[in-house]
Amino acid sequence: MRQVRIGIDVGGTFTDAVAIDNDTYEIIAQEKIPTTHGAKEGVAEGIITVLQNILEKNHIAPEEVVFIAHGTTQATNALLEGDVAVTGVLAMGSGMESSRAQTASDVGNILLAPGKFLSVLHEYVETEDATAAADQIREKLAALQQAGAEVIVATESFGVDDEANEKFVMKMAREMGLYATGGHEVSQLYGLRVRTRTAVVNGSLIPKMMETADMTEACVKRSGISASLMIMRCDGGVMTVDEVRRRPILTMLSGLAAGVAGVLMYERLSDGIFLESGGTSTDISVVKDGRVMVRYGEVGGHKTYLSSLDVRTLGVAGGSMIRVERGKITDVGPRSAHIAGLAYEVFSPALADPHLELVAPLKDDAPVYASVVGSDGRRVSLTLAGAANLLGSVPENDYVNAGKAGREATRVAWGALGKALGCSAEEAAQKAMDIAADKIWEIVARLIREYELSPQVLCLAGGGGSGGVIVPYLGRWKDIRWKIVKNAPIISTIGVAMAMVREVVERTVVQPSEEDIRAIRREAMEKVLRSGAQESTVEIAIEIDRQANILRAVAMGATELRKHEGAERALSSEELQALAAQSMELPPENVKESAAAGAWHVFDGQYKKRILGLIPVKKHKVRVLNRHGVVCLQREALGAIVCTKAELEAELKSLLEDTVEYGATGGELPGLFAYYGEKQLNLSGLASREQVLDLMKLEAELLPEDEKIIVLAVR
């Protein structure tokens, strides 16, 4: 019996579904229906409809489905629209910390969008033991409930060290018929104000998200599918419905994460900018060394402990309308043809004798957006997709390539704008594309600088229905390598279907010990298993941020027994060497493969550098590529070891002795990376040789004695 993965992406306008063969990664089927916002069961009704369509039309039996997940914009939309529950904070503290705890936990109302606030109530109990202050806590909870709180957030200064008091308050609140969450449920980091604020946002989403989760889960069960329903997270992973009921905040921005998750499954992207364009907006995210970049998210301009993909959104896309003011084109977007309820000129029959009319898409807008009206009264919008087609910059066979007929209809429509402005249709389209490209490039250039992306391997990757509108034009304009990703229009839905279970555990620890590392690994394993991962597929990476004193464990695993290695074929040694040489900007003959282990290939590139412009010194660039050709490390080499597990401790001590640099503050460890099997370990945050040895000992515990391991010391 074949095994099928199903992904469902619930967007603001459409709900898409895709079925993928679990073994071959081939797309079996795809479906699209309007999102059912107004239905009795909400968006859940659309999910079950599109699910039934994809099963019945393509003869997929429910028992063939081994994985089903959906991504949703519901949490994001709820925050943007202010559709959240009034939340009451019950804070606790004692002793010298009491005054600070009372102040820090009072986060106030949180601005969500212009004119939209999350209402937050606050009460405080001074106590070391919540059970001893039960009567006082019950009284405070009753006051919050009477004031309108639907959800209680229990928070305490050091609740991350001992959760007992927060759990006691949560239990009591639930007994009183209130929803409840605690600061410890959303983060294990110190920082009472940020942790409380994150918990408040999480709590405010619980009632609405629980209702939707319950209905969606019931709908999926009615279809006969036995696989557990998974929900997309904002960091590109998935989690169970039970986890959504507890931590709905993790679904915020999950729609943005799905696209880049799909790209990493399908494309060989080392350093790149992924631009996913729809009709109204473009989401821009970063891939560096083959990994998507993550940061703490913000709500209402305030930092939270929500770890999400670093995605920047701009109101420019294929359906963006053209702004015309004072006889010239002044801007593109943010309004789109969809918002205005108008057809695209490029996908409509040519108009007869058209003339320009400026319209206001929404009631409060100024009438500055360009539309064209034909002699028969038909009205269409001038769009960025039309401009790109008219200029011939959309690739052949692209989703938005309208062909010869579409270009001719567009030329007629844009001719009306050109006539009003005193230029040709093509000149008007060129001006619109230049304005849009300039706005997008401002964000792209900033991300390239922030993340120090390598210009040698940098690639602009386009996805979404309008990827072909933006990316080819921008790539040619800036002379940067570009591509439209495979299955671009449904890449987000594919990302949902192919997602892995992911959990992150963070703790504030100064100089973490071996026991600290063991403890956080255990916790990360427990969380990722609770979220639906199969234990045999789980990999855990330990990261240490010395500047912030944060110890972090990132656990990832699959929901069935086989891990996915990506759809790309493995490259030959010659192909890998050519990619490494391109990355280094060195002749291929100067680049040699120096080591290989598991999925990893290490290339050394020798070059000469002059000190003070006089003395030539030999230097070495190092590149680590995986079997599919993704450049996963780009540094200058200081040293390396290739050994078995049995030899690791002695070889690692020798490498550290050779590469530690001594200065005024003592020995400074080099950057360290380890490779074996399918795993890459970043050891660069560790502060001492003992920590390096302890962590590698832990990581290698279950490896066979003859397992080949590579460790690189880099600058």
Side-chain angles (χ1 to χ4, degrees):
M1 185 172 66
R2 66 178 173 176
Q3 295 184 322
V4 178
R5 301 176 72 88
I6 291 180
I8 302 171
D9 186 34
V10 184
T13 307
F14 291 104
T15 294
D16 294 277
V18 65
I20 297 175
D21 188 292
N22 192 49
D23 297 316
T24 66
Y25 298 96
E26 292 178 3
I27 295 174
I28 299 169
Q30 52 184 296
E31 291 287 331
K32 179 191 291 283
I33 67 166
T35 298
T36 55
H37 294 290
K40 180 183 176 182
E41 292 185 316
V43 298
E45 183 170 307
I47 291 172
I48 194 61
T49 301
V50 81
L51 178 59
Q52 287 172 340
N53 289 349
I54 211 162
L55 294 177
E56 293 169 6
K57 290 182 182 179
N58 302 281
H59 307 292
I60 300 170
E63 56 269 23
E64 291 180 305
V65 179
V66 296
F67 178 89
I68 178 168
H70 80 75
T72 177
T73 59
Q74 187 172 17
T76 306
N77 292 343
L79 291 173
L80 291 174
E81 296 163 11
D83 188 13
V84 291
V86 176
T87 303
V89 175
L90 193 291
M92 293 165 286
S94 62
M96 295 177 63
E97 286 291 315
S98 182
S99 178
R100 189 193 67 83
Q102 186 168 3
T103 302
S105 61
D106 190 358
V107 298
N109 293 341
I110 298 173
L111 177 67
L112 302 175
K116 305 287 185 181
F117 288 88
L118 193 174
S119 296
V120 185
L121 308 173
H122 181 263
E123 292 285 354
Y124 182 77
V125 175
E126 183 165 356
T127 182
E128 288 185 4
D129 182 1
T131 56
D135 292 341
Q136 190 179 1
I137 288 171
R138 187 176 289 105
E139 181 183 327
K140 297 288 187 180
L141 290 175
L144 290 169
Q145 187 175 33
Q146 189 171 359
E150 302 171 62
V151 182
I152 296 299
V153 169
T155 187
E156 186 181 30
S157 290
F158 297 101
V160 296
D161 296 330
D162 185 352
E163 304 163 0
N165 284 346
E166 290 187 2
K167 286 183 173 180
F168 180 85
V169 172
M170 290 165 59
K171 181 175 182 292
M172 184 177 287
R174 287 169 181 152
E175 289 171 352
M176 295 172 64
L178 293 161
Y179 296 103
T181 186
H184 70 276
E185 288 195 319
V186 295
S187 176
Q188 293 293 314
L189 294 178
Y190 293 140
L192 181 61
R193 177 169 288 275
V194 179
R195 191 171 70 250
T196 302
R197 184 186 300 123
T198 309
V200 164
V201 175
N202 183 62
S204 73
L205 293 167
I206 288 175
K208 189 174 188 67
M209 294 299 291
M210 276 190 69
E211 181 182 3
T212 301
D214 291 343
M215 287 191 293
T216 307
E217 187 177 45
C219 288
V220 171
K221 286 180 179 177
R222 285 206 304 269
S223 72
I225 293 173
S226 59
S228 297
L229 175 65
M230 310 297 286
I231 312 295
M232 195 79 187
R233 292 167 46 132
C234 56
D235 57 9
V238 291
M239 60 183 180
T240 61
V241 173
D242 281 343
E243 281 298 299
V244 174
R245 293 183 180 109
R246 200 167 66 90
R247 295 185 291 167
I249 191 174
L250 294 181
T251 68
M252 204 173 86
L253 304 177
S254 64
L256 309 184
V260 73
V263 167
L264 292 180
M265 282 289 177
Y266 270 107
E267 298 291 339
R268 191 170 64 238
L269 202 59
S270 301
D271 277 17
I273 303 289
F274 175 55
L275 300 99
E276 186 172 14
S277 285
T280 303
S281 62
T282 296
D283 299 323
I284 306 170
S285 51
V286 182
V287 175
K288 180 177 174 65
D289 293 341
R291 299 174 62 192
V292 64
M293 296 293 98
V294 176
R295 66 172 182 174
Y296 289 130
E298 293 186 355
V299 175
H302 297 292
K303 177 184 172 183
T304 71
Y305 283 148
L306 172 66
S307 199
S308 65
L309 301 192
D310 188 355
V311 180
R312 318 287 170 93
T313 299
L314 185 66
V316 174
S320 292
M321 298 180 72
I322 313 305
R323 290 175 63 113
V324 178
E325 299 169 87
R326 299 177 298 280
K328 62 181 181 180
I329 297 174
T330 59
D331 205 352
V332 176
R335 297 294 184 234
S336 65
H338 167 73
I339 294 293
L342 296 176
Y344 289 37
E345 80 286 47
V346 70
F347 300 120
S348 302
L351 298 175
D353 192 23
H355 65 276
L356 177 70
E357 284 191 10
L358 301 181
V359 299
L362 297 178
K363 186 175 68 173
D364 294 333
D365 290 336
V368 295
Y369 290 88
S371 73
V372 177
V373 183
S375 58
D376 61 356
R378 278 193 303 121
R379 183 189 299 275
V380 297
S381 172
L382 297 185
T383 65
L384 204 60
N389 270 278
L390 180 56
L391 297 176
S393 67
V394 181
E396 289 293 325
N397 303 318
D398 189 85
Y399 181 74
V400 292
N401 190 310
K404 184 177 179 180
R407 283 194 296 275
E408 288 307 312
T410 301
R411 182 172 285 106
V412 171
W414 279 77
L417 175 59
K419 182 179 178 181
L421 302 183
C423 64
S424 69
E426 286 78 8
E427 287 172 330
Q430 182 84 54
K431 177 64 175 176
M433 288 298 297
D434 286 348
I435 290 173
D438 200 45
K439 290 171 72 172
I440 292 173
W441 176 249
E442 183 180 348
I443 295 177
V444 170
R446 189 185 312 139
L447 290 170
I448 292 172
R449 291 193 301 270
E450 281 182 25
Y451 289 101
E452 299 179 341
L453 301 183
S454 166
Q456 289 75 43
V457 296
L458 179 64
C459 178
L460 303 180
S466 297
V469 173
I470 302 293
V471 170
Y473 191 90
L474 189 63
R476 291 167 185 146
W477 179 40
K478 292 297 180 181
D479 194 24
I480 296 175
R481 191 163 57 95
W482 62 271
K483 67 168 78 169
I484 301 300
V485 303
K486 185 178 177 182
N487 298 309
I490 56 171
I491 195 67
S492 284
T493 319
I494 290 169
V496 175
M498 302 298 285
M500 301 277 280
V501 183
R502 189 177 192 272
E503 283 289 348
V504 180
V505 179
E506 296 179 315
R507 290 192 179 278
T508 304
V509 184
V510 180
Q511 293 289 344
S513 64
E514 180 178 348
E515 183 49 42
D516 291 326
I517 295 171
R518 284 182 181 275
I520 202 169
R521 280 173 58 87
R522 282 195 302 270
E523 186 174 349
M525 175 64 83
E526 289 170 3
K527 283 196 169 186
V528 80
L529 295 180
R530 193 166 64 233
S531 288
Q534 292 285 340
E535 186 169 3
S536 60
T537 71
V538 175
E539 291 187 353
I540 301 174
I542 300 294
E543 302 170 4
I544 298 178
D545 184 336
R546 279 190 287 171
Q547 289 187 326
N549 291 324
I550 293 176
L551 175 63
R552 180 182 299 112
V554 181
M556 291 195 70
T559 52
E560 68 278 344
L561 294 177
R562 188 180 61 79
K563 289 191 293 185
H564 301 286
E565 298 177 356
E568 289 274 331
R569 68 176 178 87
L571 302 186
S572 67
S573 296
E574 292 76 18
E575 289 172 312
L576 292 170
Q577 182 187 19
L579 289 170
Q582 176 190 344
S583 166
M584 296 179 188
E585 290 189 295
L586 293 174
E589 58 269 21
N590 287 18
V591 178
K592 308 295 180 188
E593 183 170 355
S594 57
W600 310 101
H601 299 261
V602 180
F603 290 88
D604 175 80
Q606 185 172 302
Y607 69 104
K608 289 183 179 179
K609 183 177 181 180
R610 292 185 178 274
I611 299 177
L612 302 176
L614 299 172
I615 307 168
V617 177
K618 285 184 180 179
K619 297 280 187 178
H620 294 266
K621 296 181 180 180
V622 65
R623 299 291 185 266
V624 179
L625 282 72
N626 69 12
R627 63 169 67 90
H628 303 301
V630 175
V631 181
C632 298
L633 185 71
Q634 307 172 70
R635 297 291 184 88
E636 183 179 314
L638 296 176
I641 57 171
V642 183
C643 61
T644 64
K645 174 188 170 180
E647 303 163 335
L648 178 61
E649 186 172 354
E651 291 285 343
L652 189 53
K653 285 180 178 177
S654 177
L655 176 67
L656 293 174
E657 287 173 4
D658 292 342
T659 56
V660 168
E661 295 183 356
Y662 291 93
T665 58
E668 183 74 20
L669 291 177
L672 292 167
F673 294 84
Y675 300 88
Y676 58 89
E678 303 292 324
K679 194 157 189 177
Q680 171 182 261
L681 281 177
N682 183 351
L683 307 168
S684 301
L686 303 178
S688 68
R689 302 183 199 197
E690 291 72 25
Q691 285 184 353
V692 173
L693 294 168
D694 286 346
L695 182 53
M696 281 306 303
K697 181 181 174 183
L698 282 173
E699 291 289 343
E701 265 182 344
L702 301 179
L703 297 179
E705 292 298 312
D706 61 351
E707 177 85 31
K708 186 187 287 188
I709 300 171
I710 302 169
V711 182
L712 301 175
V714 298
R715 194 183 304 280

